[in-house]
Amino acid sequence: REPPPALPLHELAKRTGHRASANASALVVALPSLLVPCCAHSGTTFLWRCMQYAFHPDKVCGKEGKPGRPMYADYHSDWTRTSCPSRRYLLPGLAGNIQGHWDYRKEWFFFGGGAASWFKGWQDYVGVDLPLCYWEKEFQRLLRLRPLDHTLAHSRRLCRSRTSGTAHGHGRRRRAPCTHRACLALDLDKTRLGPGYAEEYPRPEKPRYQFQATKALPRVDPHVHSGAVVSDMTPNYLCSPKALRNLANSIGTPAHFRFLVLLKQPLDFLTTAYKMFVQWRWVRSANLSLDVHTQLSKLRRCNLTLYQRPELLPSLPAKEVVDYFSKCWEGTWQHYVTNALPNVCIRAWIARGFKPSQFMIVRSSLMRLLNADELLTAIANFTGLHYNKLLLARRAEELAAHCEGPDSRANRKRANMVVVNTHKAFDGDNAQRRSMLDEETRSAFEKLAAASTSMITSLGVRELSVQRPP
């Protein structure tokens, strides 16, 4: 199936001319255009929670109201061009659970980075067709209070797609319903419902099989909800050649896309990533030194010249950069070394057609120090999202809980304030000892890491910075 149009909503509105009618044919799928493609273990979850809170349309389109009592824009009718003019807000896709409830989805893994979603096609990416009321927080809350039979029945309806297939009946051919690609068939004799729901669904009195609608991107009328910006914070995209190839070959390199690239110091990234996967019991190797040594050897064999002289990369022709990236990078979770060298990845995306101005580097060490206002101002200036400073100031404590860096001046005064989960302190299963590098391996890696760090500044990519009074 062809992808939905990868254009900003205001451009789609211009192309369609006069305002379309308020029926389903007027709606378009809003593809993610704000990506956080790198890097895992660098504060992506903290940034996701902050942006989801501060740039949600209920805040962006709300009004200051009385002190301590802001007037939130709770309904999608308040997010229109008329009610919320010239303001852009974050409208992430939704994830559906087994009970038929919905919540905002951080990561999609569609284009690549370790999942097979790409092969399911665009229907899997855009998901089932939901009205915009499902993006209202109050609607999501009330949906969780509905009887389980009701939400399961709705999931079954959503999963019956008529996009393909034929059947015969009453002497004529007709389109046969097929299961939507964004749906999963569930065997409730093998799959557990969430806590508190099992008693609502006694087996064997109820049907054994159900469907789970797993995801949905927003469908909007570009003349009405032109401020919507959809995010995809899959942290493995940037260093995945497959993700770059799939994205560029299908929708090109849209100029309105924006990329927030979160970076840690390379050595810190290695140890944190390894400890997290040890904690998740994904690691099968004895220690990090063995993995890094093996991956460095593989990188050396892949291209000896660039391994020994990485400073040559910026001067290479675009095709050679993309070929090197495609041949020597893989971008899945266990490739610690190449994932810790994002300079090559950014250079490859630029070589493929994206502009340096579409990227902004966010240093994890700096983000931990920023207060909420500094962080949100920088993100708003880069992405075009509206920072409703006056409204958010009415709920300063709530804003700080979502967006204040854990090492900021304000949070250093708070006891036991932990905002970013870095997995750095995990010590189970001998993680601290296993994550230490021997001297030879450490020296070889740090040589590449130093070249990567210095090279990022030569790419012409913006970097988040703040000016503070002395």
Side-chain angles (χ1 to χ4, degrees):
R1 221 180 91 177
E2 290 296 315
L7 292 170
L9 293 176
H10 69 273
E11 287 292 334
L12 286 172
K14 289 179 183 177
R15 291 196 176 195
T16 56
H18 65 282
R19 178 177 170 175
S21 60
N23 56 37
S25 63
L27 305 181
V28 298
V29 175
L31 285 179
S33 60
L34 174 56
L35 277 63
V36 181
C38 186
C39 295
H41 335 293
S42 301
T44 57
T45 299
F46 164 70
L47 185 64
W48 157 249
R49 290 172 179 166
C50 170
M51 293 180 65
Q52 181 189 343
Y53 170 79
F55 295 122
H56 190 280
D58 67 352
K59 312 291 191 311
V60 170
C61 300
K63 299 178 182 178
E64 297 90 274
K66 297 179 180 179
R69 298 185 64 184
M71 299 171 59
Y72 292 139
D74 292 321
Y75 304 105
H76 69 280
S77 57
D78 301 324
W79 309 342
T80 64
R81 176 184 285 185
T82 303
S83 301
C84 190
S86 304
R87 293 187 178 186
R88 303 179 75 202
Y89 46 80
L90 193 67
L91 207 63
L94 299 182
N97 67 16
I98 187 175
Q99 286 84 230
H101 307 150
W102 295 85
D103 203 348
Y104 306 110
R105 182 178 179 127
K106 176 193 173 193
E107 302 167 358
W108 290 78
F109 283 96
F110 176 67
F111 293 106
S117 296
W118 175 256
F119 299 103
K120 297 180 183 178
W122 285 95
Q123 190 185 61
D124 178 73
Y125 191 33
V126 303
V128 297
D129 193 350
L130 292 177
L132 274 184
C133 58
Y134 275 74
W135 275 258
E136 300 168 4
K137 294 179 180 178
E138 180 64 7
F139 185 92
Q140 294 175 5
R141 186 188 71 82
L142 293 174
L143 190 65
R144 289 190 284 272
L145 301 179
R146 299 288 297 171
L148 186 62
D149 279 343
H150 292 193
T151 55
L152 289 178
H154 186 240
S155 292
R156 289 195 299 273
R157 290 193 296 271
L158 289 172
C159 291
R160 301 296 280 180
S161 167
R162 291 183 177 271
T163 58
S164 62
T166 57
H168 297 273
H170 302 290
R172 59 193 177 93
R173 295 184 60 171
R174 59 184 175 84
R175 287 170 102 51
C178 301
T179 303
H180 196 289
R181 288 184 180 273
C183 292
L184 297 175
L186 301 174
D187 182 347
L188 294 183
D189 280 353
K190 300 178 180 179
T191 304
R192 291 184 179 181
L193 293 165
Y197 291 99
E199 56 268 23
E200 283 193 57
Y201 202 87
R203 288 283 300 135
E205 300 173 23
K206 300 279 188 177
R208 175 177 174 179
Y209 297 99
Q210 292 287 349
F211 284 108
Q212 177 186 354
T214 62
K215 64 190 75 166
L217 289 177
R219 274 83 166 166
V220 300
D221 183 338
H223 295 270
V224 179
H225 292 95
S226 57
V229 176
V230 185
S231 62
D232 183 350
M233 298 193 178
T234 303
N236 292 17
Y237 278 165
L238 186 71
C239 287
S240 168
K242 182 171 69 173
L244 175 57
R245 181 174 61 252
N246 289 340
L247 190 153
N249 287 348
S250 58
I251 61 175
T253 54
H256 70 290
F257 273 37
R258 292 294 179 268
F259 303 91
L260 287 166
V261 181
L262 274 58
L263 297 184
K264 262 189 176 179
Q265 290 296 328
L267 189 59
D268 194 17
F269 171 85
L270 278 187
T271 56
T272 302
Y274 188 80
K275 286 176 185 177
M276 187 182 83
F277 295 127
V278 169
Q279 186 175 8
W280 290 358
R281 299 188 181 277
W282 288 11
V283 174
R284 296 292 179 264
S285 62
N287 55 65
L288 180 59
S289 274
L290 180 61
D291 283 345
V292 172
H293 177 78
T294 301
Q295 292 175 26
L296 286 172
S297 299
K298 183 177 179 181
L299 192 58
R300 185 190 303 112
R301 292 192 303 270
C302 186
N303 191 311
L304 180 61
T305 301
L306 287 176
Y307 182 86
Q308 294 178 332
R309 299 189 62 193
E311 69 276 6
L312 296 176
L313 184 72
S315 61
L316 291 180
K319 184 179 184 307
E320 290 186 29
V321 172
V322 174
D323 289 345
Y324 172 57
F325 179 60
S326 300
K327 181 181 177 184
C328 301
W329 260 246
E330 295 188 47
T332 53
W333 66 268
Q334 67 267 47
H335 294 93
Y336 312 113
V337 170
T338 50
N339 288 344
L341 305 174
N343 64 302
V344 177
C345 313
I346 297 173
R347 178 72 177 88
W349 285 64
I350 293 172
R352 192 63 200 263
F354 289 101
K355 301 292 187 292
S357 58
Q358 294 178 253
F359 295 81
M360 184 167 78
I361 303 294
V362 181
R363 303 279 179 185
S364 179
S365 55
L366 176 60
M367 188 168 65
R368 293 180 65 91
L369 296 170
L370 297 180
N371 61 46
D373 181 64
E374 292 170 329
L375 178 61
L376 293 173
T377 298
I379 292 174
N381 288 341
F382 174 67
T383 62
L385 293 169
H386 180 76
Y387 172 28
N388 197 342
K389 188 173 182 177
L390 293 177
L391 180 145
L392 291 170
R394 302 287 194 186
R395 304 298 292 269
E397 280 294 318
E398 190 174 271
L399 174 64
H402 286 88
C403 297
E404 198 83 18
D407 298 329
S408 67
R409 295 171 184 173
N411 271 341
R412 283 200 296 267
K413 299 176 183 178
R414 296 188 177 105
N416 302 319
M417 173 61 71
V418 179
V419 180
V420 181
N421 178 18
T422 65
H423 302 274
K424 189 174 183 178
F426 177 69
D427 195 24
D429 205 8
N430 292 320
Q432 295 286 356
R433 179 183 58 80
R434 292 170 64 187
S435 62
M436 296 177 65
L437 295 179
D438 63 67
E439 285 302 318
E440 181 182 356
T441 304
R442 182 187 179 113
S443 177
F445 173 75
E446 286 187 333
K447 179 184 176 183
L448 289 177
S452 171
T453 301
S454 63
M455 202 179 306
I456 284 177
T457 60
S458 69
L459 295 175
V461 173
R462 183 187 312 193
E463 183 165 336
L464 187 152
S465 61
V466 294
Q467 296 285 334
R468 284 178 171 174

